Amino acid sequence: MEASVFSRRVFALGGLLAAFLLAVPAQAADPLAVGILIPGSKSDKGWMESGYDGLVAAQKELGAKIKVQMIENINYADMEQALTNLASKNALVIGVGGQTQAAVLKVSKRFPKVKFSIVGGNKSEELANVAGYDVKQAEIAFVAGAAAAMLSKNGAVSYVGGMEIPSIVNAGKEFGNGAKYINPKIKYFENYTGDFDNVAKSKEATLAAIAQGADVHYHILNLGLRGLEQAAKEKGTKIIGSYTNYCGSDPLYVAYSITGVGFQVQYAIKEAVAGTWKAGYKPFGLAMGPKASDMVICGGTAEQKNKLEQIKKDIQSGKIKVLEG
């Protein structure tokens, strides 16, 4: 075969191959594998549900760009095993709640190529593959305390927290401080059940506060919130809800604090998909806007709204100082 004929045939085959490659659609990038640990119930009307709502919102927004594995309702003692399971199959692992932090820090050292985000994480050991997102619960709890004092008819309010860890205790202290900021003479009752999900203990704590005059209650609970609701319903008192604005959905609730749990879940996933995810501590709170942190009195007056807005500004400026967490 003459060289010129051979060259023409090779050229023709090359052209056909190029045309074929152009006609074949580009292969879509593999979806980001996301593992999420929701230690409590995704329908607890609290922290866990807010986190789950953020996951659902991320799935709706990102579609086929992510593939999700979720583990729900895990005891504290089983968190390390659950996180190990997630880390072995996913590129991003999210722990929803500060109670996951110790286990995340431990497991992440065994999976250095996996990214871990803790929603509700505080300043702690710094690792190259771990991000801690601080919802600044103490910050918005101060504002919630101010709202409670405005709404209380008896001049007495209460708080029930779950595990007695720094972020939960600091939020309780600041709720009381916020109430006293509005009414220095207000009575404040603070209790911890030692368990975010214990319905009986949270009901007992709330009933004890009601017996001493408390008529507006705040909480950092998961399923334990059911006990608080039972007590309030039985005694005709009111609740300030946490995490998400559900105004108008239940007459028991007169206000809601927004702590952006779902917002942070979305943030972690979107940053990982975009390739901009970063390790390290990141504070959210009021400085990140109303999706991250806010306070809403259901049907609140203009005077109440203006007062809460001023308190939020004073916290951000440092005029009002609050605890960490």
Side-chain angles (χ1 to χ4, degrees):
M1 184 185 295
E2 293 182 7
S4 59
V5 174
F6 178 78
S7 299
R8 285 198 299 272
R9 288 183 178 178
V10 169
F11 180 80
L13 287 171
L16 287 170
L17 178 60
F20 172 77
L21 291 173
L22 287 170
V24 175
Q27 183 68 37
D30 290 337
L32 176 75
V34 178
I36 183 166
L37 174 62
I38 297 180
S41 167
K42 68 178 186 291
S43 56
D44 66 354
K45 292 173 69 176
W47 181 287
M48 300 299 158
E49 185 168 329
S50 178
Y52 178 70
D53 288 346
L55 173 64
V56 171
Q59 288 176 304
K60 185 176 180 180
E61 180 182 356
L62 297 169
K65 292 181 180 179
I66 61 173
K67 184 175 78 171
V68 175
Q69 178 189 2
M70 183 179 76
I71 297 178
E72 180 193 10
N73 278 324
I74 289 293
N75 293 326
Y76 192 79
D78 297 325
M79 283 186 193
E80 187 179 334
Q81 182 179 347
L83 287 165
T84 299
N85 180 310
L86 292 173
S88 66
K89 302 172 185 176
N90 297 282
L92 171 67
V93 174
I94 302 171
V96 180
Q99 64 267 49
T100 68
Q101 181 159 312
V104 166
L105 292 175
K106 189 173 182 180
V107 172
S108 63
K109 293 173 184 175
R110 305 207 311 266
F111 296 89
K113 294 183 180 180
V114 176
K115 298 176 176 68
F116 293 80
S117 289
I118 307 164
V119 174
N122 52 33
K123 287 183 179 178
S124 62
E125 182 181 3
E126 292 189 8
L127 297 172
N129 61 331
V130 178
Y133 304 146
D134 188 349
V135 300
K136 309 290 282 185
Q137 289 184 106
E139 194 178 71
I140 200 61
F142 184 100
V143 190
M150 294 179 196
L151 294 166
S152 175
K153 295 176 181 177
N154 294 349
V157 299
S158 75
Y159 168 84
V160 180
M163 290 178 66
E164 205 165 345
I165 56 179
S167 60
I168 308 303
V169 173
N170 287 352
K173 300 299 181 191
E174 291 303 347
F175 178 76
N177 290 339
K180 291 170 186 174
Y181 184 82
I182 297 297
N183 177 6
K185 295 182 179 180
I186 201 163
K187 294 179 181 177
Y188 171 53
F189 307 100
E190 181 181 338
N191 284 286
Y192 299 90
T193 64
D195 186 334
F196 291 109
D197 297 314
N198 193 306
V199 175
K201 286 185 178 180
S202 60
K203 181 177 182 178
E204 181 183 348
T206 306
L207 286 173
I210 292 172
Q212 298 177 80
D215 61 350
V216 179
H217 320 290
Y218 188 57
H219 73 94
I220 295 183
L221 298 166
N222 296 332
L223 282 178
L225 175 59
R226 300 291 184 271
L228 194 156
E229 289 178 329
Q230 290 169 14
K233 189 173 290 186
E234 288 176 13
K235 300 298 182 180
T237 57
K238 300 296 181 182
I239 302 171
I240 293 179
S242 297
Y243 318 122
T244 304
N245 178 4
Y246 290 125
C247 276
S249 64
D250 188 334
L252 268 182
Y253 289 82
V254 289
Y256 289 91
S257 70
I258 297 161
T259 44
V261 177
F263 178 75
Q264 291 182 42
V265 169
Q266 278 184 274
Y267 179 88
I269 296 171
K270 289 170 70 174
E271 290 288 294
V273 168
T276 53
W277 183 95
K278 292 181 181 178
Y281 170 79
K282 183 175 180 61
F284 281 69
L286 293 169
M288 289 288 283
K291 287 185 178 180
S293 187
D294 203 3
M295 185 70 225
V296 179
I297 293 179
C298 305
T301 66
E303 182 181 1
Q304 289 170 335
K305 291 176 183 177
N306 290 338
K307 185 64 177 176
L308 293 179
E309 284 301 317
Q310 188 58 54
I311 289 171
K312 289 189 291 183
K313 288 177 182 176
D314 288 345
I315 290 173
Q316 290 186 75
S317 71
K319 185 178 179 180
I320 294 175
K321 298 189 182 301
V322 298
L323 296 167
E324 288 293 325

